[in-house]
Amino acid sequence: MSPADTPPPPYYLVVFASTRTDDDHGYAATARRMLELADAQPGFLGVDSARDPDGVGITVSYWRDEESIAAWRRHVEHLIAQADGRARWYASFAVHVARVERAYRFPPPTR
């Protein structure tokens, strides 16, 4: 998997760092659906995600602006997935939102 192909800054990112529980029932299907829905949201720019064998994961989603992030946070299906995550799939999580001022790639883009 290659890093997300984001536009030149500024843009925003949401970092979702989590520790999973042992409950896998429905998680993969919900994760796929959330990515499908996010990809259809105005302002969504891409996502990078990784999880280690112990269940610690980091997902970084990239967004054009704070309004796009807020709309995604309020999306009805996303709200349901958030509730399921709290109740079943995550032992803990943290969310961080930041504005990207500079970004670098290797190799550099050929735009």
Side-chain angles (χ1 to χ4, degrees), residues 6-15 45 60-66 69 96-104:
T6 54
Y11 53 87
Y12 288 80
L13 57 82
V14 176
V15 179
L45 303 173
V60 181
S61 59
Y62 304 93
W63 300 86
R64 179 182 56 234
D65 50 38
E66 290 183 279
I69 295 168
H96 307 275
V97 179
R99 180 180 156 114
V100 176
E101 299 290 338
R102 287 179 299 285
Y104 310 92

Side-chain angles (χ1 to χ4, degrees), residues 7-8 10 12 36 39 44 48-49 52 63 67-68 76 82 84:
Y12 288 80
E36 180 181 286
D39 192 44
F44 179 76
D48 292 315
S49 190
D52 76 10
W63 300 86
E67 293 78 18
S68 301
V76 173
Q82 290 172 44
D84 287 343

Side-chain angles (χ1 to χ4, degrees), residues 83-95:
D84 287 343
R86 285 185 191 97
R88 299 171 37 196
W89 298 316
Y90 297 112
S92 64
F93 66 83
V95 177

